[in-house]
Amino acid sequence: MRANESPVRTSVFRGTIRRRHDLPFPGDILVSCGDQIEAGAPWAVCNPVGRVSIRDITRVSRVPPARVLEETNQPQNQEIPAGTVIAAGAGVGTLFGAGDWVAPWNGKLAHVSTISGLGFFQQSIGSTALFARLSGTVVEVADRSHIVIEGSATSIRCAYGAGGTSFGRVVNVADGAGLEFRADDEDGMCVVVVADTVSMEWIDALPPEHIAAVVAPSMSLDKFPQIRKHARNGESRDAQPRIPTVLTEGVCSARMPPALQWIFRKYEGRMVSVVAASTPGEAEVILIGGDIAASDKRPAAMRIAAGPDMGEQVYRGESEALYRRNSAGVLGRLVDLYREEGGRTQVIADNLERLA
Amino acid sequence: MTRSLMDASYPAGSRVAPKILLAAEVGSNVRLAAFGGVEGSSRLLAVGESETTHSAPYFDPAVGFDQARSALRSQVRFIADIEDTDPCAVTGGGIGRAATVALISNLDADSHARIVNLVNVQGFDIVAEFHAPNKKLARQFDPEDLANRLLLIRASVVAVALQNDRGWESLAMAVDILKYALVGRIPGYSPGVMLLHSDDPEPGLVATLADEFEFFQVGMRAGLDAQSEQSLVRSQIAEAYQSVTGRDAARFTPAGLDATTVTPLGQSLGIVAREMAANNGISVVVLHAEPLGALVAISEGRDFRVGSFGYDADAAAVGHIGLRLPMEEIVGWIPAAISESMAEAHFRNRAWRPWLVPETSTELLLDHAAAHLALRRAVRSIADPSPPVDLIVCTGRTLSGAPRLIQAALCGINAYMPPGYCQLAVDSPGVLAMCGALTATGTPISAEPYLVHVATSLSCEGTAKFGADALAVQVIPRHGEPISRSVAFGAMERITWDGSVVAEVKSWPGGKLDAGGGKGRATALRSGITSGIGGLIIDARGRPLQWPKEGSLRRAALLQWFQSTDSYVLPSQDLDWGGVEG
């Protein structure tokens, strides 16, 4: 049975892209619709809240709710150092009295309710600036919620990400294994792009004061659990390396496909955003600016994304895709492919990704 | 006349342009199904599928929907042009978390139960109840502890139902906790707030809620059981539900589908289960498995119960059910040579690319093992032990897309562990959820025409010694010789016969075992059955499932189950344990 032209999932997208930037905590948006913004520039300041101590002041001071404001010794919404008495307890000592309400951390008295009699003391952890991941125009601003930036860029979808978002200039490293990398101070933060499979030890050995992020193809089966069980992760089940890290291929020992290496080499020294998000599907590398054309006159490169050949670069053969079963028995559009390193193979279209 | 026929979007030979209904399912892929109304009933015309594009590198769900529509359009172009037709129903496990509710209430026990029922019936999943019957909230709950528990649960909606709240003390406590102890503490978390009240609450507090949160006010009055009041409350909660699910779904569906009804997957499957059960007077279980999660809907005709596993239920960034299950348990179901770390690598890669299909038999086994173990947990969350059921329907990407339908049926048996006799069917085109979503919009679409009868299972409850005689079974085709089998305890067996012939089935379980008629009592099916693809699957593994603990015996048992049911074929190199750790 002959199949129609098989659509293949896209892993690299060039052109005008939009990225929504959400306010994770209450805060202020600093840009307006129509503003131009550069990647790495702040677009909002947010105010995360730390721990919150809640006390029933009517019990502490033994007064009715209407009088709790009089019983608090501190003004609201002003910084109070840890150890300061917020409300004095009634009675003598703590045996018969409720004890004083003492600020457990540096923070502020956010609210005292004259209805319920409750007081809310919030730990201060400072304001945090949020930076744009994309250079372009602000096309949407939703108050207290998000903005949308539209700009010209190349987005490369990554399989895995952890460590957060960062920005820097691309430095391609030819050989990842046993590398001694020294960043140049004058060039600012670098995004290290490695073509070979990496280990957690290698990432840990990089100087975090110079390295903004690591872009690598894969982490081998025996190295990946080291990330998962890394001491810094604590109780978290997901990896949190010291430097934001993305893997383009996944947990395997695949090298970076030549088509991706070519793109990163073209971007040597230029600014990129690395979104090392752990939510599946959200990790990406954004290459700012849209002036990189497709690689050359060769046919469009694809990668095999599953099975024993995972990570291998292939090109479409002349034969049309046919509905057939693969070795697992799955019926699908089996695409005839040339391997980058020679030979031919057939893979179901669902397991292919376009790289250019 | 000729001109008008040529202008029409259907071929000249056709006399009736069918009304086309589109439904969408968003999971690891986007699927659009077209149903055409012909002579009063709607039938499936075609399904178009594409990649989901709400994630990198697009972050634009419209691209995937357009591609799916384009794929569908090419298939139905001779019937109608669907270029400008939007789906009227959207469902799927990928359109956001289930709408969960944390309920804070000081209502009396009866009113509280009624509210729980009303909120549940509208589709919300109540994940926590903070109930202080007829008391001030502060007397029952420490406010700091309440705030921390709410943060841990991270429900989509915090519902506050209060009565006899003198001086608004309880309402003020709830409002202040929400505003000063929840907002800003976890990235991106700000719940919707539903206030259910019987009096006119203090305007200042209501204004605070309206300013700070997505706010829904549900007016209850004295005499909640009055028909009109119930109806009003129901509609207000339903509006809140649509708003919450629509908000979550907005990230995964294209802008401009405002008129499209979003129905959570559990509700869609529950509706289908209920309709099938009611129409046929049977009990139905729908099992839905996909990389993101597993879902089960059970119905006996009047209502339905839904249980789920996965779907980022605790907001953790894990995208595959395999990563939520103990790896040791999954690997225990694989007779092939594979270590736990290899299995974990497989599921991690699948979490990042959930749309991939298995390339090897071992990958297929891993996906199916994770699916049935996840489904088993979903079943246990609502029915433990599994009650007898007449029909199990397998659906979802993992089961509908199984290379052999018998594999989906075996997953169904392992997941639900049905006692006695049970029919197994597979939703081969994978449209069950979309049928339910369309039915939820008021356009009933029967899902039965899309089910493929795969097999009938006969299972025995109880335990016996491994290898002892467990079940004697006789299949008597109406045209042909009777087929008899004796099955040892711990084994599976399969009997097939001519697919066009109806057969009677009789069974004689061993003394301690129960095949649906009581311990050691012979049973016979009242009506005849057809073979289907899988025939009669005899499951003599006991309930609860018994199998050897020692590794090699366990693998031998698995191979016996797979080979006797003709479900999986493993190449000999996959069974070579040389060089595999642990």
Side-chain angles (χ1 to χ4, degrees):
Chain A
M1 184 178 176
R2 180 183 285 186
N4 292 330
E5 188 67 14
S6 307
V8 171
R9 193 170 278 265
T10 303
S11 189
V12 177
F13 181 77
R14 282 190 185 84
T16 302
I17 63 173
R18 287 184 170 207
R19 288 294 178 265
R20 177 175 156 139
H21 294 60
D22 284 300
L23 257 181
F25 301 106
D28 300 313
I29 292 174
L30 308 175
V31 295
S32 308
C33 220
D35 286 356
Q36 293 293 316
I37 190 164
E38 291 296 317
W43 65 271
V45 175
C46 64
N47 307 300
V49 175
R51 290 169 285 184
V52 177
S53 168
I54 309 172
R55 281 294 181 89
D56 184 349
I57 300 172
T58 59
R59 288 191 189 173
V60 173
S61 303
R62 293 187 183 163
V63 292
R67 285 187 51 207
V68 290
L69 277 174
E70 299 162 25
E71 296 300 317
T72 51
N73 301 333
Q74 302 296 328
Q76 290 182 34
N77 291 316
Q78 288 188 15
E79 283 299 317
I80 299 169
T84 309
V85 175
I86 303 169
V92 180
T94 54
L95 184 58
F96 299 107
D100 296 338
W101 182 23
V102 179
W105 327 281
N106 292 342
K108 63 182 182 183
L109 186 61
H111 179 65
V112 176
S113 170
T114 53
I115 302 175
S116 65
L118 297 179
F120 293 77
F121 182 81
Q122 296 176 336
Q123 182 188 20
S124 295
I125 52 175
S127 298
T128 306
L130 301 173
F131 303 100
R133 306 193 296 272
L134 176 66
S135 297
T137 309
V138 179
V139 293
E140 185 181 325
V141 176
D143 189 33
R144 296 196 296 182
S145 170
H146 67 269
I147 66 165
V148 177
I149 301 173
E150 183 180 279
S152 195
T154 298
S155 166
I156 298 172
R157 185 188 199 278
C158 295
Y160 162 84
T165 300
S166 60
F167 313 89
R169 298 188 182 283
V170 171
V171 173
N172 284 286
V173 174
D175 182 7
L179 178 85
E180 287 187 14
F181 175 78
R182 296 187 67 81
D184 184 349
D185 288 346
E186 292 171 7
D187 281 349
M189 298 292 273
C190 300
V191 170
V192 174
V193 180
V194 197
D196 285 305
T197 186
V198 294
S199 67
M200 193 64 199
E201 291 80 18
W202 185 81
I203 295 172
D204 269 349
L206 295 171
E209 62 277 18
H210 299 303
I211 309 298
V214 174
V215 180
S218 60
M219 198 164 281
S220 67
L221 196 63
D222 55 332
K223 299 291 181 191
F224 189 79
Q226 293 174 17
I227 284 192
R228 190 164 48 85
K229 292 169 183 164
H230 204 276
R232 274 191 302 276
N233 294 349
E235 293 301 311
S236 168
R237 76 179 97 190
D238 285 309
Q240 289 298 325
R242 189 168 54 157
I243 298 171
T245 302
V246 291
L247 302 179
T248 58
E249 310 306 306
V251 178
C252 55
S253 43
R255 296 195 76 221
M256 188 179 284
L260 285 188
Q261 291 184 43
W262 184 88
I263 293 171
F264 283 116
R265 279 201 300 275
K266 286 284 178 186
Y267 261 83
E268 179 79 30
R270 295 174 64 178
M271 178 69 99
V272 299
S273 301
V274 178
V275 183
S278 57
T279 305
E282 299 207 345
E284 64 173 338
V285 180
I286 301 174
L287 311 172
I288 312 297
D291 52 345
I292 297 290
S295 60
D296 50 28
K297 290 180 181 173
R298 300 180 73 182
M302 294 186 282
R303 74 151 69 88
I304 299 173
D309 297 328
M310 183 179 169
E312 188 167 349
Q313 183 164 315
V314 289
Y315 302 94
R316 190 158 198 155
E318 299 87 12
S319 309
E320 287 194 59
L322 297 171
Y323 268 114
R324 280 198 187 148
R325 292 191 183 273
N326 66 6
S327 59
V330 177
L331 182 67
R333 293 187 176 104
L334 220 52
V335 183
D336 179 41
L337 301 161
Y338 287 110
R339 294 175 190 270
E340 168 74 16
E341 295 178 2
R344 296 179 80 156
T345 187
Q346 289 188 322
V347 173
I348 285 188
D350 282 343
N351 291 346
L352 294 171
E353 291 179 352
R354 267 205 316 270
L355 294 173
Chain B
M1 178 60 79
T2 308
R3 172 86 184 161
S4 67
L5 278 172
M6 289 178 69
D7 284 347
S9 57
Y10 48 94
S14 170
R15 286 289 176 271
V16 182
K19 184 188 173 195
I20 301 289
L21 292 171
L22 296 191
E25 183 176 359
V26 183
S28 45
N29 279 356
V30 180
R31 306 179 78 240
L32 271 181
F35 293 86
V38 179
E39 294 175 355
S41 66
S42 288
R43 291 181 189 170
L44 177 68
L45 300 175
V47 178
E49 190 162 354
S50 172
E51 59 181 307
T52 50
T53 53
H54 56 258
S55 56
Y58 292 107
F59 287 102
D60 181 2
V63 176
F65 268 73
D66 287 347
Q67 287 174 0
R69 190 202 310 270
S70 176
L72 183 60
R73 197 179 163 204
S74 66
Q75 296 178 66
V76 299
R77 65 184 184 278
F78 295 118
I79 301 167
D81 189 359
I82 56 160
E83 186 177 11
D84 298 322
T85 311
D86 280 333
C88 46
V90 177
T91 189
I95 55 173
R97 298 172 60 196
T100 52
V101 168
L103 176 61
I104 301 170
S105 139
N106 76 344
L107 306 181
D108 60 81
D110 285 349
S111 299
H112 180 85
R114 266 184 237 141
I115 287 296
V116 167
N117 183 42
L118 279 169
V119 171
N120 269 330
V121 163
Q122 295 310 319
F124 283 113
D125 180 11
I126 297 184
V127 289
E129 292 176 43
F130 302 96
H131 188 202
N134 300 314
K135 285 183 192 166
K136 288 180 181 176
L137 289 182
R139 290 207 175 172
Q140 185 86 6
F141 301 109
D142 171 58
E144 199 170 311
D145 180 54
L146 180 58
N148 290 335
R149 285 165 71 184
L150 287 171
L151 277 177
L152 204 65
I153 295 159
R154 286 186 232 177
S156 331
V157 172
V158 176
V160 182
L162 301 171
Q163 66 182 13
N164 302 326
D165 186 19
R166 284 183 198 162
W168 308 113
E169 277 187 43
S170 292
L171 179 59
M173 172 177 159
V175 171
D176 290 342
I177 285 175
L178 290 167
K179 183 177 177 184
Y180 296 103
L182 247 64
V183 173
R185 293 187 68 186
I186 292 177
Y189 180 61
S190 180
V193 177
M194 183 168 19
L195 179 61
L196 303 108
H197 58 87
S198 52
D199 311 302
D200 290 329
E202 207 276 320
L205 295 172
V206 173
T208 302
L209 291 175
D211 282 350
E212 298 288 333
F213 302 95
E214 186 181 15
F215 179 53
F216 312 101
Q217 204 167 350
V218 178
M220 306 182 300
R221 292 187 179 80
L224 187 65
D225 50 353
Q227 196 73 27
S228 54
E229 291 296 329
Q230 283 246 18
S231 166
L232 176 70
V233 169
R234 244 178 233 272
S235 67
Q236 287 172 328
I237 297 175
E239 277 174 35
Y241 180 74
Q242 277 300 324
S243 175
V244 171
T245 50
R247 177 193 66 189
D248 280 353
R251 273 190 60 210
F252 305 97
T253 52
L257 292 185
D258 300 337
T260 303
T261 306
V262 175
T263 308
L265 183 62
Q267 203 180 355
S268 299
L269 296 175
I271 288 169
V272 168
R274 186 183 62 199
E275 297 300 308
M276 278 195 285
N279 292 342
N280 299 291
I282 56 173
S283 52
V284 175
V285 169
V286 174
L287 302 174
H288 183 283
E290 59 182 333
L292 302 169
L295 220 142
V296 57
I298 302 177
S299 179
E300 290 176 348
R302 280 183 300 179
D303 219 330
F304 59 81
R305 288 173 290 159
V306 174
S308 67
F309 180 82
Y311 292 116
D312 289 355
D314 59 2
V318 178
H320 199 289
I321 44 176
L323 295 175
R324 294 186 169 277
L325 294 161
M327 219 46 72
E328 184 186 3
E329 195 178 345
I330 298 175
V331 171
W333 276 89
I334 314 294
I338 187 165
S339 65
E340 287 178 30
S341 59
M342 287 159 77
E344 182 171 347
H346 168 80
F347 289 119
R348 287 211 167 258
N349 287 325
R350 284 295 191 274
W352 303 325
R353 295 182 172 109
W355 56 84
L356 297 178
V357 297
E359 278 288 339
T360 64
S361 301
T362 304
E363 287 185 351
L364 179 73
L365 278 167
L366 282 169
D367 288 350
H368 284 184
H372 90 244
L373 290 171
L375 281 167
R376 182 86 198 118
R377 280 161 168 77
V379 170
R380 273 199 200 136
S381 70
I382 53 170
D384 192 18
S386 304
V389 63
D390 299 310
L391 171 65
I392 292 177
V393 179
C394 301
T395 184
R397 183 178 165 83
T398 309
L399 301 184
S400 290
R404 297 180 184 196
L405 297 182
I406 191 77
Q407 293 166 348
L410 189 59
C411 281
I413 293 172
N414 289 337
Y416 190 76
M417 295 285 168
Y421 291 91
C422 173
Q423 188 184 354
L424 295 144
V426 173
D427 162 33
S428 189
V431 294
L432 214 69
M434 289 187 269
C435 291
L438 280 170
T439 304
T441 65
T443 313
I445 304 274
S446 173
E448 289 168 45
Y450 316 117
L451 301 187
V452 178
H453 165 57
V454 179
T456 304
S457 73
L458 168 58
S459 313
C460 57
E461 288 183 281
T463 59
K465 191 179 172 188
F466 278 109
D469 285 345
L471 263 176
V473 180
Q474 191 173 44
V475 173
I476 311 155
R478 287 196 182 151
H479 308 290
E481 292 293 310
I483 307 164
S484 299
R485 290 276 196 286
S486 181
V487 185
F489 186 78
M492 294 184 85
E493 188 58 85
R494 186 171 77 133
I495 299 174
T496 54
W497 62 98
D498 185 344
S500 62
V501 175
V502 174
E504 309 292 326
V505 180
K506 292 178 180 174
S507 74
W508 295 267
K512 291 179 181 174
L513 300 171
D514 179 357
K519 282 185 180 174
R521 297 186 66 176
T523 60
L525 268 181
R526 281 200 204 108
S527 54
I529 57 168
T530 53
S531 172
I533 298 160
L536 178 72
I537 297 174
I538 304 158
D539 179 1
R541 299 176 296 177
R543 300 284 185 275
L545 187 70
Q546 302 290 315
W547 60 352
K549 289 191 169 48
E550 202 274 313
S552 59
L553 292 176
R554 192 181 174 102
R555 287 196 288 276
L558 281 165
L559 282 173
Q560 194 277 328
W561 300 345
F562 293 166
Q563 285 169 0
S564 63
T565 53
D566 195 21
S567 48
Y568 298 94
V569 179
L570 283 164
S572 54
Q573 67 267 23
D574 285 9
L575 300 173
D576 179 9
W577 277 78
V580 177
E581 62 193 73

